[in-house]
Amino acid sequence: MLATPRVRKTDVDSIVFEAESRRQEAAASAAKKFGTTKGVFVPTIQNIMGIILFVRVPFIVGQAGIIQGLGIVWLSCATALLTAMSMSAVATNGRPKSGGCYAIVKNSLGAQFGGVTGALLFLSKTFGAAMNVLGCVEVLQLSFPSTFGDLPMRMLGAIILTGLAVIAFVGVEYVVRFAVMFLFPVVLAVAAIWVGVVVHTVGDGKQSQGIVGISGQVLRNNLDAEYNQRAGVEWSFKACLALFFPAVTDPLAGSNLSGDLKDPQASIPPGTIAAVIVTTIVFSIQVVVVAGGAVRRDALIEFPLDDFPRVPRFVVKDLAWPHEMIVVVGVLLSTLGAGLQSLAGAPRLLAALGKDDLVPILRHFAPSDGAEPRKAILFCASLSMCLVMVGDLNAVAPFITLWFLTCYAIINIACAYLGYEKHPSFRPTYRLFKWQVSLVGCCVCFFIMFYTQPLSALGALAAAGLLYKYIETQPGASAHTAHGESELPIFEREPESPSNTDKGSDSETETMCVSPAHRTGPSDWRSGSRFKTARTAMLALEEGDLQFKYWRPFVLFLCAIDGDANYVRQRGMLDALAQLVRRGKGLALVNGVVVDEVAEPSLRKARKARRRLRALLRDRGVQGFADVVVAPSHEEGRKLLLQAKGLGYFRPNTVALGWPTDNNKRDARGFLRTMDDTTAMLKTLLVFAGDRDFPGAKDPPLRGRVDVWMVFDLFPAAGLLLLIPFLLLRDDKWKHCELRLIIVSPRTDAGKEDDGKLEEAVKSMLKAGGVLAKVLVLRLGEEDAPRFARDDSLLTPTRQPSVRTRAKLTRGSSLTAEEEFILSEEFSSQPLPPEPPTPVSPPSPMRRIDSTGKTKLTVLLKEHSGSSELVLIRLPPQKREQPPQEWMVSVDRLIEGLRRVILIRESGAEKVQFFQ
C-alpha cells in the first residue's frame, strides 16, 4: 500500500514563518506605494486631459461641427472605456506585478501576446512623450510669441524633453509627486474656461476675436461639418478622428504603474473607469458648450502664426476668466505632466521586456532588483528626442493612434477569447466583465484602424505578427506561466540527493520544496482551445476512423529503463521512430517499466524517469508522449501498457521493440510472451535490429538501398511491409535511398519467363499504389526457409481462414465478426494442436544449412542486402516446441551482418489500405 506522506513539524513552521515574513514585507512595501487616486486616477486623467483637449478640440469642432465632433469624441471614449473594462477584468485575474499592462496580459494570455503588447505600448508611450513635448512647445509659442516665437521648435522641444528625462531619471516617486502638483492647475484651467464662457455670455464677449459666448445662432452655424483644406491637409471625418484619438490613448496609464500600487486589483478597475468617464464628460462639454456654442467657426479654424502654419489658434486661452494665464499655465503643466508619465511608464515596459528575456537584445535594459531602469529611461528619452526633431505634432499623433489601437485590439480580443473559452484559470473578480463587451471593443479598434489608416494598419498588424513569431521562437517565451500566477505555492517532496540515498529514505524526514512545475510552465494562449478541440475530436472518433486509407502509425514503443531511471539507448530507435511518426502524421508513445513494487520510492523513480523521457523526446523531435509505469516484472509492465494505453478508439495500432543484443541479460521467454501478447491484442509488431544505429538529426543523409523482403507471401500485413519504408523514404535522412522489393517465390521449377511475368505484375501493383521501386525475384524452396512458410495445418479444419478472408486482408477490406474471431483464435497463446502426419518430416529451422553453417535464406540476405542501409522482413515465427533461446539465436543468425533491420510481425487483422 502506498504510504501516506508526512511532513516534519519544522518544515510546517518554516513554511508558516516564510509566509508571515512575506506578509510583513508586503505590508512594509505597501506603505511606500500608492492608492487608487494617486496611482491610477490622477495619471489617467493627466494623460487624457492634455494638448488635444485644449488646442486641437476647437479646431476639430470647426472642421467637423458639433454633431460629428461629438461622434468623434464618443467613439474614441467608448473605445477607451471598453478597453478599460477589459483591462479591469484581466487585472483582477490574479495579482499583477511590475510591468503594468504588459505583465498583466502576459500572465493572462501568454508571453507571446504579452511581449507584443509590451513592445507596442512602449512605442506608443515613446511617441506620446514626444507629442506632449511638441504640444508644450506650441503652447509656449502661441502664448509668448515675443519670447519663444523666434526659437526653433526642435531646439525648444529638446530642452523641455531633457528636463523631463532628468525628473524621470531621479525616480518614480518624484514623478507621482509632480503628477499631483501638475493636475491641480489643469483642473483650474478647465474651470477658468467654463467660467469664461458664462462671463462672455452674460457680457459682450470678444466679438473682434470671434468669441461671442453661448449663442443659439453660433450653435446652429457650428452644428454641421464644413471640411476644407487647412495647413496642407484635406480634412475629413477620418482625419479629425485620427488627430483626436491620441487624447484618449492612455486609459492604461494607471495599470502601467501596477508594481507601484498598494492593491492593483482594487485600484485599477475603479480608477481607470472613473477617469475615462470624467474625461468623456469634459470632452463633450468642450465640444458642445465651449467650442461649438461660444466661438464662431472662422475663429476655430484660424492659423495665426505665419512661421508655424500647422499650429492652429489657441482659442480657449481667449475664453479664460479671470486671466488667460490660468489656462496657459494649466495646459503647460498638463503637457509636461503627460510627457512625464510617458517617460516613467515606457522605460518600465522596456525593462520588463528585457528582464523576461523575450527579446534577447533588450536584456541589457533590465535593471537589478529594486533599482530604477535608468538605462531604459535614457534609451526612451533618446528615441523621443528623435521624434521631437520631426517638429510637427500633427505628424506624430496618427502613429500614436495606430500603436495604441493595435494594443487595445490585442487586450480586447484576449479578454473576449478567454471569457468565451471559459478557461478555468481565467477568473476575473470584476463583475461587469462580459466577453461580448470585449469583442465589441476589439471590433471598434479594428474599425478605427482600417478606417483612418488602412495601409498603416496592415503594416502595424504585420509587424505585430512578426514580433509574435519571433518571441515564440525564444527560450524565454516558454519560461512563463500563462493564465495568471497563483499566490499559493505548491509543495512536493524534495528528490533525494546522492548523499541521502545511502542512508535510506524515510517519509518522515523528507523535506518539502516548491514544485518545479509550479515555478515555470508552458505559456501558450491556445492551450484551452486545443483541449476543447481534442476533447471534441476524441468523443466523435469512431472505430473505423483510423483504419484502411486513414491508417496512421500510432506506435507504442516499449523502451528499456535502467536502475538509475535512465533510458537505455537502442540503436537509434528514437530517431527512427521520430522519422516514421513525423512522415506518417502519426503519434508515438514511448513507455517504459520500472521493476519494483508499487510504493512511494518506486513511483518517485518512475516520475523521474518520465521527466527524463519527455526531455529526450523533445531533444530528438519525437512527436508523442512519454510514460513510465511500475510493475513487478518487465513482462507484467509491458502487458499492462499493451492493454491500457490509449483512450476510447484512439489506441496504438503498432508496437515497437528493440532486439535484445546482450546474450547474458536477454530474456528470450519474456520477449516471446510480449510478442504473443501484441499479436493477441491485434497489433502489428516492429522489432528494430542491426549492426548500426538509425540516423539521427546530426547524422548525414543515407545513400543506398532500402530492401523489402517478401518471403513466400505477397504484401503481408495488408501492405504494411511496404508502407513503413515508403514513409521513411519521405524523410530527409532517407530520401536519397532507393526502394527495392525482393520477392522470394517458393516455386523452384519456374523459369525466367515466369519470373518476368511476376515482376511485371508486381511493378504494376506498385505503380497503382504510387510506389517507385525496383523488383527482384528470387527462388527458394519452402524447406529452405520453413519459418516463413504458411503452415495452414496448424489450424483446426473448422477455423482455417478462407481464401476470401486472406484476400480481404491483402486488399485492406473489412472482416466479418466470425472472420476476426477465427484470426484471433489462430494467434492465441494456447498450445498448438499436434502436427498432422506427413510423408516428409518437417525440417528444423536450422537444418537446411550450407558448408558455412548458415541457412540458404541467410545466405541470400547477406548476398543481396549486405550493403543495404535498411532491410525490412517478416519476423520468423517460433515453431512448435522450439526453445525460446534457440529461436532467438536463429533470428540472430538470420540478420547477422545486416546494417539496419526492421522485423515485422503481423497480427492478421491489419486494416491498412495501401493499394487503391
Side-chain angles (χ1 to χ4, degrees):
M1 180 180 294
L2 182 63
T4 303
R6 291 184 290 175
V7 184
R8 292 183 303 176
K9 184 177 183 299
T10 55
D11 294 325
V12 177
D13 293 340
S14 64
I15 294 172
V16 173
F17 176 77
E18 183 181 355
E20 181 65 20
S21 300
R22 290 176 59 189
R23 187 190 66 79
Q24 293 177 359
E25 291 176 1
S29 177
K32 302 178 182 179
K33 295 187 177 182
F34 313 108
T36 302
T37 303
K38 287 186 177 181
V40 180
F41 182 79
V42 170
T44 306
I45 285 284
Q46 196 167 34
N47 274 272
I48 295 178
M49 295 175 61
I51 184 65
I52 302 296
L53 172 68
F54 294 104
V55 178
R56 291 299 186 267
V57 166
F59 175 76
I60 290 173
V61 173
Q63 292 286 342
I66 296 175
I67 296 178
Q68 293 190 23
L70 281 176
I72 291 171
V73 170
W74 289 347
L75 179 61
S76 303
C77 291
T79 306
L81 182 62
L82 293 173
T83 305
M85 295 178 70
S86 297
M87 197 64 222
S88 299
V90 182
T92 56
N93 180 46
R95 183 179 179 84
K97 299 182 180 180
S98 61
C101 178
Y102 153 71
I104 296 171
V105 174
K106 180 193 69 176
N107 292 334
S108 293
L109 200 61
Q112 293 88 343
F113 272 130
V116 173
T117 302
L120 292 176
L121 280 176
F122 162 72
L123 290 175
S124 304
K125 288 187 169 299
T126 304
F127 275 74
M131 183 191 74
N132 284 287
V133 169
L134 291 173
C136 180
V137 172
E138 283 191 7
V139 173
L140 287 174
Q141 292 179 333
L142 287 170
S143 304
F144 308 102
S146 59
T147 304
F148 299 101
D150 296 333
L151 290 177
M153 177 178 286
R154 295 174 178 83
M155 185 182 74
L156 189 57
I159 296 173
I160 295 173
L161 182 61
T162 302
L164 295 179
V166 170
I167 298 175
F169 195 83
V170 173
V172 69
E173 181 179 355
Y174 295 94
V175 173
V176 175
R177 289 179 182 178
F178 276 101
V180 176
M181 183 182 70
F182 287 168
L183 181 62
F184 178 74
V186 173
V187 176
L188 191 62
V190 173
I193 294 171
W194 291 356
V195 173
V197 171
V198 176
V199 170
H200 289 302
T201 302
V202 175
D204 296 333
K206 299 179 180 179
Q207 298 290 338
S208 60
Q209 300 180 17
I211 298 174
V212 297
I214 299 177
S215 167
Q217 182 64 36
V218 173
L219 281 171
R220 286 190 294 271
N221 292 337
N222 293 339
L223 197 62
D224 297 326
E226 291 185 8
Y227 295 110
N228 51 55
Q229 185 175 359
R230 291 281 176 168
V233 178
E234 189 66 38
W235 292 96
S236 62
F237 181 85
K238 66 179 181 181
C240 292
L241 179 60
L243 179 62
F244 173 80
F245 196 85
V248 294
T249 49
D250 212 0
L252 310 180
S255 63
N256 289 327
L257 299 175
S258 58
D260 301 298
L261 299 176
K262 293 179 181 178
D263 188 353
Q265 289 179 307
S267 298
I268 291 176
T272 304
I273 293 176
V276 173
I277 293 175
V278 168
T279 50
T280 302
I281 295 172
V282 171
F283 276 119
S284 300
I285 293 175
Q286 289 289 102
V287 170
V288 176
V289 178
V290 178
V295 184
R296 291 197 302 264
R297 188 184 293 269
D298 57 344
L300 294 174
I301 58 176
E302 182 181 356
F303 289 81
L305 300 178
D306 296 334
D307 295 335
F308 303 98
R310 296 177 65 84
V311 179
R313 177 182 171 184
F314 195 7
V315 177
V316 293
K317 175 174 67 70
D318 300 326
L319 277 170
W321 186 92
H323 198 280
E324 64 182 22
M325 289 305 299
I326 297 177
V327 175
V328 173
V329 173
V331 175
L332 286 174
L333 292 180
S334 171
T335 54
L336 293 174
L340 197 57
Q341 292 290 343
S342 297
L343 284 178
R348 278 161 175 75
L349 286 169
L350 188 64
L353 284 169
K355 188 175 182 180
D356 291 335
D357 202 19
L358 299 182
V359 181
I361 196 174
L362 299 181
R363 65 168 65 103
H364 303 290
F365 299 105
S368 58
D369 293 338
E372 289 288 329
R374 303 193 188 281
K375 291 182 181 179
I377 292 174
L378 291 176
F379 178 76
C380 293
S382 302
L383 187 57
S384 296
M385 187 70 71
C386 296
L387 297 171
V388 168
M389 294 299 106
V390 175
D392 188 359
L393 187 149
N394 293 343
V396 176
F399 287 98
I400 302 175
T401 300
L402 195 62
W403 300 132
F404 268 113
L405 281 172
T406 307
C407 294
Y408 288 178
I410 292 175
I411 294 170
N412 280 296
I413 197 63
C415 278
Y417 175 81
L418 291 175
Y420 175 77
E421 287 287 330
K422 297 181 180 178
H423 200 284
S425 65
F426 185 63
R427 303 181 297 273
T429 57
Y430 182 61
R431 297 182 178 180
L432 298 180
F433 169 72
K434 299 290 182 183
W435 69 265
Q436 295 90 341
V437 175
S438 298
L439 182 61
V440 171
C442 176
C443 294
V444 172
C445 290
F446 282 127
F447 166 74
I448 296 177
M449 287 176 63
F450 285 95
Y451 176 68
T452 57
Q453 304 172 77
L455 294 180
S456 299
L458 285 175
L461 292 178
L466 291 175
L467 183 60
Y468 175 93
K469 297 302 294 183
Y470 175 76
I471 294 176
E472 196 173 35
T473 62
Q474 299 305 307
S478 61
H480 303 281
T481 303
H483 310 302
E485 297 183 359
S486 173
E487 289 295 304
L488 300 176
I490 298 176
F491 296 96
E492 67 176 12
R493 285 177 190 78
E494 183 76 35
E496 296 178 81
S497 62
S499 59
N500 294 332
T501 304
D502 299 335
K503 302 176 183 178
S505 175
D506 185 356
S507 61
E508 294 189 12
T509 62
E510 291 173 346
T511 58
M512 305 292 287
C513 66
V514 180
S515 169
H518 179 67
R519 297 191 194 108
T520 59
S523 55
D524 197 336
W525 60 275
R526 294 162 291 189
S527 58
S529 64
R530 278 200 296 261
F531 175 80
K532 290 183 66 176
T533 303
R535 175 181 177 273
T536 303
M538 292 297 295
L539 291 175
L541 196 64
E542 299 291 342
E543 183 177 8
D545 291 346
L546 301 177
Q547 298 173 357
F548 302 111
K549 69 169 70 175
Y550 304 111
W551 186 92
R552 295 288 185 271
F554 191 176
V555 185
L556 171 62
F557 174 27
L558 300 177
C559 67
I561 303 294
D562 63 13
D564 295 328
N566 293 315
Y567 166 77
V568 179
R569 196 169 182 274
Q570 296 172 274
R571 294 296 185 188
M573 277 190 64
L574 281 180
D575 297 312
L577 197 63
Q579 296 155 10
L580 177 63
V581 170
R582 181 169 59 248
R583 296 308 173 185
K585 305 300 181 183
L587 195 65
L589 302 181
V590 182
N591 293 178
V593 179
V594 171
V595 179
D596 204 343
E597 295 297 326
V598 179
E600 179 61 25
S602 60
L603 291 175
R604 190 187 308 119
K605 183 177 179 180
R607 289 194 293 269
K608 182 179 179 181
R610 187 182 303 118
R611 288 195 296 269
R612 291 178 176 178
L613 269 183
R614 288 172 181 168
L616 189 60
L617 261 62
R618 287 194 298 269
D619 182 61
R620 298 294 181 86
V622 180
Q623 298 174 346
F625 306 96
D627 198 7
V628 177
V629 298
V630 179
S633 66
H634 285 289
E635 183 182 343
E636 291 298 322
R638 290 178 171 181
K639 189 176 295 184
L640 172 65
L641 292 171
L642 285 170
Q643 294 183 79
K645 277 301 167 181
L647 189 63
Y649 293 111
F650 194 61
R651 295 184 177 275
N653 51 30
T654 307
V655 176
L657 286 171
W659 181 256
T661 56
D662 192 340
N663 295 329
N664 297 324
K665 294 183 179 180
R666 64 183 182 181
D667 179 12
R669 188 176 301 276
F671 191 86
L672 279 167
R673 286 177 180 171
T674 300
M675 289 173 47
D676 292 339
D677 292 337
T678 302
T679 303
M681 295 175 190
L682 303 181
K683 300 181 188 297
T684 304
L685 177 65
L686 304 180
V687 180
F688 292 75
D691 295 336
R692 299 186 185 181
D693 291 352
F694 284 81
K698 298 181 180 180
D699 296 325
L702 298 178
R703 297 179 183 273
R705 290 192 309 269
V706 173
D707 288 344
V708 178
W709 284 72
M710 294 185 175
V711 185
F712 305 156
D713 190 8
L714 278 180
F715 310 115
L720 202 60
L721 200 62
L722 267 178
L723 181 57
I724 290 175
F726 173 77
L727 295 177
L728 285 176
L729 288 173
R730 297 170 68 180
D731 192 82
D732 293 338
K733 299 299 178 182
W734 297 93
K735 66 180 181 180
H736 299 294
C737 297
E738 63 176 2
L739 181 62
R740 183 174 64 169
L741 178 60
I742 301 176
I743 300 173
V744 181
S745 173
R747 291 186 57 192
T748 57
D749 58 343
K752 293 184 178 180
E753 184 178 349
D754 294 329
D755 290 346
K757 291 181 179 179
L758 178 59
E759 182 178 337
E760 290 300 324
V762 172
K763 284 184 177 180
S764 176
M765 294 181 66
L766 292 175
K767 185 177 180 181
V771 178
L772 298 177
K774 294 182 178 180
V775 178
L776 176 64
V777 178
L778 301 178
R779 300 294 176 181
L780 188 67
E782 291 191 6
E783 67 277 7
D784 293 313
R787 291 168 295 177
F788 291 87
R790 288 189 173 273
D791 194 354
D792 293 341
S793 63
L794 295 179
L795 302 175
T796 58
T798 58
R799 299 190 175 220
Q800 289 188 8
S802 63
V803 176
R804 175 172 171 268
T805 302
R806 291 190 181 277
K808 283 186 176 183
L809 286 175
T810 302
R811 67 173 181 267
S813 302
S814 59
L815 303 176
T816 64
E818 180 181 0
E819 290 168 342
E820 289 189 357
F821 177 77
I822 292 175
L823 286 170
S824 63
E825 287 295 318
E826 175 186 355
F827 295 101
S828 66
S829 58
Q830 298 177 358
L832 297 173
E835 189 177 17
T838 176
V840 180
S841 59
S844 169
M846 302 302 301
R847 184 174 170 184
R848 306 290 291 189
I849 59 178
D850 58 11
S851 59
T852 62
K854 298 181 179 180
T855 63
K856 289 188 175 182
L857 181 59
T858 303
V859 174
L860 287 177
L861 275 168
K862 182 65 176 177
E863 177 184 351
H864 293 280
S865 299
S867 61
S868 299
E869 297 295 344
L870 176 63
V871 175
L872 294 97
I873 190 171
R874 210 156 46 92
L875 180 64
Q878 181 192 18
K879 282 298 185 177
R880 180 170 54 88
E881 297 182 357
Q882 183 183 17
Q885 192 63 36
E886 182 183 333
W887 170 82
M888 191 162 275
V889 171
S890 69
V891 178
D892 281 336
R893 292 180 177 176
L894 178 69
I895 62 176
E896 183 181 359
L898 301 180
R899 296 182 179 180
R900 300 170 190 87
V901 183
I902 298 180
L903 300 165
I904 300 180
R905 182 178 184 180
E906 56 184 293
S907 67
E910 281 78 11
K911 298 180 179 180
V912 183
Q913 186 174 335
F914 186 73
F915 299 104
Q916 299 296 328

